[in-house]
Amino acid sequence: MKNISKYLGSLAVLLLCLACGDNMVEKGPIKRSGQADVISLDDDWRFIRYGLQADGTRVEEPAGMFEPATDDSDWETLDVPHDFAIKGPFRMDLAGNTGRLPFQGIGWYRKTFTVDEADQGKRFYVDFDGVMANAQVWLNGEYVGTWPYGYNSFRLDLTPFIQVGKENLLAVRTDTEKWDSRWYPGAGIYRHVWLVKTGQVHVRHWGTKMETTNLTEKTADLHFTVEVENHLNEETQAVVKTSVYELDSLDCLGKRVLRFDDQTLPLKAMSAGKVDLQKQMDDCKRWDIESPNRYMACVTIQVDGQETDRYYTPFGVRETSVSRDGFFLNGRRVEIKGVCNHHDLGALGAAFNRSALERQFRIMREMGCNSIRTSHNPPAPELLDLADKTGMLIMDEAFDAWAHGKREWDYNKLYEEWHEKDLEALVRRDWNHPSVVFWSIGNEVLEQQNVEMTRHLVEIVKELDKTRPVTNGYNDPNGGRASGASMALDVMGVNYFFYEQAKWDQDERYKNMPTIGTETSSCLSTRGVYFQGDTIRKDFQITSYDVDAPGWGCNPDTQFATNYRYPHLLGEYVWTGFDYLGEPTPFNSDNTNLLNFRTDPSKRAELEKQLAELARTQPPSRSSYFGIVDLAGFPKDRYYLYQSHWRPDYPMAHILPHWNWVGREGQIIPVHVYTSGTEAELFVNGKSYGRKAKEEGKDFRLVWDSVVYQPGTVKVIAYKDGEEWAKDEIQTTGEAQKIQLSVDHASIIGSEDELAFVTATVVDASGRKVPTACLPLKVEVTGCGELVATDNGDPTSFTPFQSAERESFNGLALAIVRGKKGTTGKMQVKVSGAGLESASIEIEVK
Ligand code: GAL
């Protein structure tokens, strides 16, 4: 059904197009940039796992799995995006840094598809948005090609092997036994797959580039290049027609705003050429954070009056620049209030899902975050589409390693043969996104002092795109500066080590260089967990007072003070926005942690001892504590600290900890308040604990250290400029009595793989969240929906994400649901728990 609707979708697109580049008006959303004649190959794959199995045993991989004759009838049937490791199980014998999940193994995927007789004479390509890792591809038993780096998108040419009018068999082998990582990478075809059809003369893959320059209030110069390939064995002439349309947030074209002059491009047999188009655009609406206006350049290629290709290039009109004094968007200084995020989507693993990412963006945006660093690799293409649509700025990062790996099977094994291809693929794929404002060539790579290599990689980028600054994330900024490697960059990226900024500001060579916190803070906490006195870590959880960080990190407040002290810094990317699978520092024995103390032997020795101890004791943690938001997407307290600082005009106050301290009556419980106000007064059961004020640039939270616990109510009234500004109140609750459900979307589109995120809150008789409730819950989905995963944000839980049984963790649990394939109607999600009044919620599937 899904397949049929996709075919119908592209048919509808064709029918509704009245001549592109001429007076084309396409109704309905455009699903994808690039070639217009594209079909999703996501559905109905056959899958089998060889090599290392989930339980640690091995199943030898037979030969010839790509042969059409191989019987795959008993393989699993599934749709991609698919991550074959997220099912687990979590295993204590597997490394914490990769989430204690069995990601290593060999995946075989096979899919059949038919190509119409009418397509005789066309060219056919398969586009993989990302395959983890070492993808090898066959069509009808013939080897088509490979792309080893799991994070890049790639295209392979199927034309020589395709059977028109017949069934074709696409076979893909993935190999994560020869891949390792400092975090959970996922495994398999974890992003979308597309079949692309074109005529013999067509736009090159990622072959259009739009640059917008000389912006005035209303106008901009558009410079658009189109690279065209001729696959005919004869000379030909391609007519390139290009129009620009408005593009709305639903990806529908609006009115045509500009038409470039048609170009006739002579092309020799089996060759390529390029046209350069320039025109001033009048009345243009700029792309900006609050007004992410987009346009679409539509190109058609015609040969002898016949259309041979149509190609879509979404873009935005905007201008960026960097200087020592900051990052500028459309001439305005914008402080980067950013987060680093890994690619996994929590309980969904690495398998890409648009609604999960949209939820992440909504949560980040609400916090005041305006930028994401795609640490430490190219993101799913949809992440950039979403960033374009919502006005999020992106630092697009290529690598975590160059020629020297941090782990044995790291990018080092690919660097020599692949780094140029990988970097080119990243830049070409992403260069039209207005949201992409920085390129990053690496993160804490071992060769960060190497002048030659840095220059070489920067040159690869600049050769393709001169409009964006290039950076690199340093954890040895002194080394990078001393060797001169940083001179090759436009922006100096510093991870954590800002304590020498005053010295760097005096350094003749570097004092005028734009500098950004490519990674900051690394504060650690578990949502809803608080310990008293000096206890910061206990039972593999970390207090949520937001005071803990590894040796190289600091609490958010310290970084805010640094940014205040050095206002010329471009801003920061906090490590991290969301918790992620793997790297459960400080319960992570991975020796690559030592790389953070390259130049400090005593700190290194101390950490070495801790890591040895962790390796011996093997804590059960399997996901990170760094997130401002937990793995299930529930904000931790820190979320409100960032919100208070990043959204100074948004009235808010947030009290921590909770106020359910049975047995601690009469004892001191420190109370912290995060507020965008400048002062606040705290009341416990009506008694004032006094009014406190923040000293600008020094205090970012208000602390009442001597509050004596008595059950009841804690209330804060925040003030700004002497006026009442915001309030917050928490209360001691009664026992857990019931479950309350809420959902982020009351209706979802089943055929689009939309997900709904249902939050279960354990509440007392008066409906107040019980912040200490860790109780077994059960999720049942009936009607036309199904359960995809559950989570609660506990980094030590070994319950599989697919389980319908999940404990609430400090009052909250999450159920992720979707519509059953091929159905529309309603689904009911019911959550129950022993001794609790259960709750149900209805979701429409369209
Ligand atoms: C950095 C590293 C990140 C992450 C972080 C944890 O050094 O670049 O990938 O490991 O430390 O604090």
Side-chain angles (χ1 to χ4, degrees):
M1 179 65 194
K2 204 164 120 192
N3 243 346
I4 292 173
S5 74
K6 277 183 187 166
Y7 279 99
L8 288 178
S10 59
L11 187 66
V13 164
L14 286 180
L15 291 176
L16 289 165
C17 282
L18 316 168
C20 181
D22 199 341
N23 58 344
M24 191 197 83
V25 186
E26 189 156 321
K27 306 274 184 328
I30 290 171
K31 288 267 156 69
R32 191 172 183 255
S33 56
Q35 257 87 20
D37 198 356
V38 67
I39 292 167
S40 165
L41 291 183
D42 283 352
D43 289 359
D44 298 323
W45 288 78
R46 295 286 179 150
F47 170 76
I48 196 162
R49 178 178 181 153
Y50 286 115
L52 275 170
Q53 299 295 298
D55 62 3
T57 57
R58 270 200 95 82
V59 174
E60 275 328 304
E61 180 189 11
M65 292 293 95
F66 54 84
E67 298 286 4
T70 298
D71 180 9
D72 60 15
S73 56
D74 61 348
W75 298 16
E76 203 180 326
T77 303
L78 49 78
D79 300 339
V80 302
H82 172 238
D83 172 359
F84 71 72
I86 194 61
K87 275 207 293 211
F90 293 107
R91 279 177 26 212
M92 277 307 292
D93 61 317
L94 293 172
N97 60 285
T98 41
R100 300 201 183 281
L101 282 165
F103 80 95
Q104 290 190 304
I106 293 180
W108 272 100
Y109 292 82
R110 288 160 57 109
K111 177 182 169 60
T112 55
F113 63 93
T114 311
V115 174
D116 273 0
E117 272 304 347
D119 287 328
Q120 194 66 259
K122 286 199 172 155
R123 300 201 68 77
F124 302 89
Y125 300 94
V126 60
D127 283 1
F128 290 94
D129 288 348
V131 180
M132 189 63 68
N134 297 301
Q136 289 175 288
V137 179
W138 290 258
L139 186 70
N140 301 326
E142 305 282 344
Y143 185 64
V144 182
T146 181
W147 202 285
Y149 190 33
Y151 294 105
N152 253 339
S153 302
F154 60 97
R155 168 173 288 188
L156 297 172
D157 187 357
L158 301 180
T159 319
F161 317 107
I162 207 142
Q163 299 170 6
V164 175
K166 290 199 201 136
E167 194 169 79
N168 291 275
L169 175 81
L170 188 63
V172 181
R173 180 183 190 271
T174 71
D175 181 351
T176 32
E177 291 188 2
K178 293 201 171 54
W179 182 251
D180 201 356
S181 174
R182 298 187 299 112
W183 58 88
Y184 174 74
I189 306 181
Y190 74 108
R191 291 181 186 161
H192 294 295
V193 186
W194 307 90
L195 177 68
V196 178
K197 295 189 269 176
T198 72
Q200 294 293 338
V201 181
H202 63 79
V203 177
R204 177 182 171 178
H205 185 217
W206 301 322
T208 60
K209 180 159 77 159
M210 179 67 84
E211 287 177 7
T212 59
T213 54
N214 300 326
L215 270 63
T216 68
E217 186 77 3
K218 283 263 161 165
T219 67
D221 288 343
L222 303 191
H223 182 190
F224 191 51
T225 54
V226 185
E227 295 174 70
V228 183
E229 290 175 0
N230 173 20
H231 291 269
L232 296 168
N233 270 323
E234 60 194 45
E235 208 168 309
T236 190
Q237 287 203 331
V239 179
V240 181
K241 293 172 175 252
T242 307
S243 289
V244 173
Y245 295 81
E246 288 180 342
L247 182 62
D248 72 14
S249 59
L250 300 172
D251 294 322
C252 294
L253 296 185
K255 70 169 192 284
R256 183 165 70 190
V257 293
L258 182 141
R259 186 175 168 178
F260 287 103
D261 296 338
D262 294 353
Q263 302 286 315
T264 302
L265 180 67
L267 292 161
K268 296 221 164 65
M270 305 299 288
S271 76
K274 181 167 158 179
V275 297
D276 269 299
L277 303 167
Q278 311 238 16
K279 201 155 191 170
Q280 181 174 308
M281 185 168 169
D282 300 322
D283 283 329
C284 62
K285 298 186 198 118
R286 295 190 186 190
W287 185 91
D288 209 309
I289 294 175
E290 298 298 338
S291 53
N293 297 303
R294 296 180 306 152
Y295 294 95
M296 177 76 95
C298 301
V299 177
T300 57
I301 306 292
Q302 290 185 2
V303 175
D304 299 331
Q306 295 292 313
E307 183 175 310
T308 57
D309 193 21
R310 180 182 310 148
Y311 196 96
Y312 296 124
T313 308
F315 69 98
V317 177
R318 55 102 178 115
E319 204 168 46
T320 67
S321 63
V322 285
S323 76
R324 178 193 194 268
D325 296 320
F327 165 77
F328 296 84
L329 176 64
N330 296 323
R332 187 179 87 256
R333 185 183 194 277
V334 174
E335 182 190 344
I336 298 294
K337 300 169 176 175
V339 298
C340 302
N341 274 340
H342 272 312
H343 69 309
D344 77 63
L345 294 167
L348 305 173
F352 179 78
N353 180 277
R354 186 172 47 82
S355 16
L357 194 70
E358 280 171 356
R359 176 172 181 250
Q360 285 204 345
F361 268 55
R362 275 198 308 275
I363 295 170
M364 287 294 105
R365 192 60 186 242
E366 181 63 21
M367 181 173 71
C369 165
N370 63 15
S371 191
I372 291 171
R373 173 184 183 226
T374 68
S375 44
H376 301 295
N377 40 257
E382 290 86 352
L383 184 143
L384 302 178
D385 295 338
L386 195 56
D388 289 352
K389 275 189 214 177
T390 56
M392 187 69 91
L393 306 170
I394 299 292
M395 176 178 283
D396 203 351
E397 189 152 273
F399 305 120
D400 190 51
W402 294 347
H404 289 90
K406 296 175 185 172
R407 307 199 59 82
E408 190 194 347
W409 285 97
D410 216 333
Y411 196 75
N412 54 325
K413 297 282 198 281
L414 304 174
Y415 183 85
E416 197 178 321
E417 189 184 340
W418 284 91
H419 73 271
E420 286 198 44
K421 289 179 251 192
D422 276 320
L423 203 47
E424 177 167 355
L426 168 72
V427 176
R428 278 187 165 272
R429 190 194 68 173
D430 297 346
W431 59 15
N432 290 315
H433 288 280
S435 57
V436 175
V437 294
F438 301 107
W439 301 115
S440 166
I441 53 172
N443 172 62
E444 301 185 354
V445 295
L446 299 184
E447 305 94 331
Q448 58 193 275
Q449 296 92 345
N450 188 313
V451 183
E452 288 303 301
M453 289 180 90
T454 310
R455 259 195 214 140
H456 169 65
L457 292 166
V458 172
E459 269 162 23
I460 295 173
V461 176
K462 295 273 169 174
E463 189 66 29
L464 294 158
D465 176 30
K466 294 187 179 49
T467 68
R468 293 172 175 89
V470 182
T471 190
N472 188 16
Y474 279 84
N475 60 348
D476 178 17
N478 275 326
R481 286 180 156 101
S483 71
S486 320
M487 288 296 271
L489 303 167
D490 302 301
V491 174
M492 176 73 192
V494 176
N495 289 8
Y496 307 103
F497 296 94
F498 276 99
Y499 59 93
E500 289 183 294
Q501 187 59 42
K503 183 182 101 186
W504 300 331
D505 280 343
Q506 302 303 315
D507 182 332
E508 275 308 314
R509 280 206 302 174
Y510 288 104
K511 67 180 186 191
N512 288 324
M513 185 157 189
T515 301
I516 195 165
T518 21
E519 232 173 276
T520 59
S521 185
S522 269
C523 185
L524 301 160
S525 64
T526 311
R527 178 184 54 78
V529 165
Y530 309 90
F531 307 116
Q532 300 314 308
D534 292 337
T535 312
I536 286 178
R537 303 172 186 175
K538 203 167 84 182
D539 301 333
F540 313 111
Q541 303 294 6
I542 299 174
T543 184
S544 187
Y545 275 101
D546 299 328
V547 288
D548 198 5
W552 54 91
C554 61
N555 62 15
D557 321 48
T558 306
Q559 188 63 36
F560 292 156
T562 301
N563 300 347
Y564 181 85
R565 193 163 157 215
Y566 306 107
H568 61 279
L569 295 176
L570 274 53
E572 63 170 311
Y573 287 98
V574 180
W575 191 265
T576 48
F578 278 75
D579 269 332
Y580 52 94
L581 293 165
E583 213 182 20
T585 306
F587 309 113
N588 178 18
S589 59
D590 183 3
N591 271 327
T592 63
N593 277 298
L594 291 171
L595 297 170
N596 277 314
F597 293 123
R598 314 170 145 233
T599 53
D600 190 332
S602 73
K603 282 202 165 155
R604 199 182 158 97
E606 194 187 313
L607 183 60
E608 211 160 359
K609 258 184 36 210
Q610 287 170 18
L611 294 175
E613 183 57 14
L614 287 167
R616 196 182 62 75
T617 53
Q618 284 299 323
S621 309
R622 48 70 166 160
S623 54
S624 80
Y625 300 76
F626 292 118
I628 298 171
V629 175
D630 76 15
L631 200 72
F634 301 132
K636 302 180 187 172
D637 289 300
R638 246 186 295 155
Y639 183 85
Y640 302 97
L641 180 52
Y642 283 100
Q643 190 177 58
S644 71
H645 190 58
W646 284 352
R647 293 183 67 185
D649 298 329
Y650 174 63
M652 55 76 62
H654 173 84
I655 300 171
L656 65 145
H658 58 69
W659 215 240
N660 277 26
W661 297 103
V662 184
R664 299 189 66 96
E665 291 77 6
Q667 296 178 27
I668 287 188
I669 305 278
V671 173
H672 293 204
V673 169
Y674 301 150
T675 175
S676 50
T678 46
E679 289 179 54
E681 185 168 2
L682 187 80
F683 302 89
V684 179
N685 296 327
K687 170 182 176 278
S688 172
Y689 272 83
R691 191 155 157 163
K692 292 192 186 260
K694 292 188 207 163
E695 190 181 321
E696 196 185 327
K698 187 166 165 279
D699 301 315
F700 300 92
R701 65 174 89 189
L702 294 168
V703 175
W704 285 263
D705 258 337
S706 54
V707 178
V708 176
Y709 177 67
Q710 288 301 341
T713 303
V714 184
K715 184 171 164 183
V716 70
I717 304 178
Y719 298 86
K720 191 165 184 169
D721 303 326
E723 302 283 317
E724 194 175 308
W725 174 250
K727 288 181 190 164
D728 190 23
E729 184 178 305
I730 54 169
Q731 290 170 1
T732 309
T733 73
E735 300 279 291
Q737 293 274 331
K738 331 186 238 195
I739 295 162
Q740 259 175 16
L741 297 182
S742 63
V743 64
D744 66 339
H745 282 114
S747 90
I748 53 175
I749 303 175
S751 60
E752 305 242 315
D753 265 348
E754 278 190 356
L755 302 175
F757 291 80
V758 179
T759 299
T761 309
V762 179
V763 299
D764 69 1
S766 337
R768 295 172 298 193
K769 178 176 98 177
V770 181
T772 48
C774 296
L775 300 168
L777 304 179
K778 191 166 169 220
V779 183
E780 285 157 274
V781 184
T782 49
C784 59
E786 60 192 7
L787 182 67
V788 179
T790 58
D791 192 8
N792 59 16
D794 176 359
T796 64
S797 169
F798 272 38
T799 305
F801 288 124
Q802 299 72 28
S803 172
E805 286 173 20
R806 169 80 48 194
E807 271 199 358
S808 61
F809 183 59
N810 298 323
L812 297 175
L814 176 77
I816 309 175
V817 297
R818 69 170 163 230
K820 259 191 216 149
K821 220 174 164 181
T823 63
T824 54
K826 297 215 186 302
M827 73 166 106
Q828 293 76 35
V829 182
K830 179 178 171 198
V831 181
S832 52
L836 297 173
E837 195 182 303
S838 62
S840 285
I841 202 165
E842 197 164 72
I843 300 166
E844 189 189 358
V845 182
K846 292 192 291 195

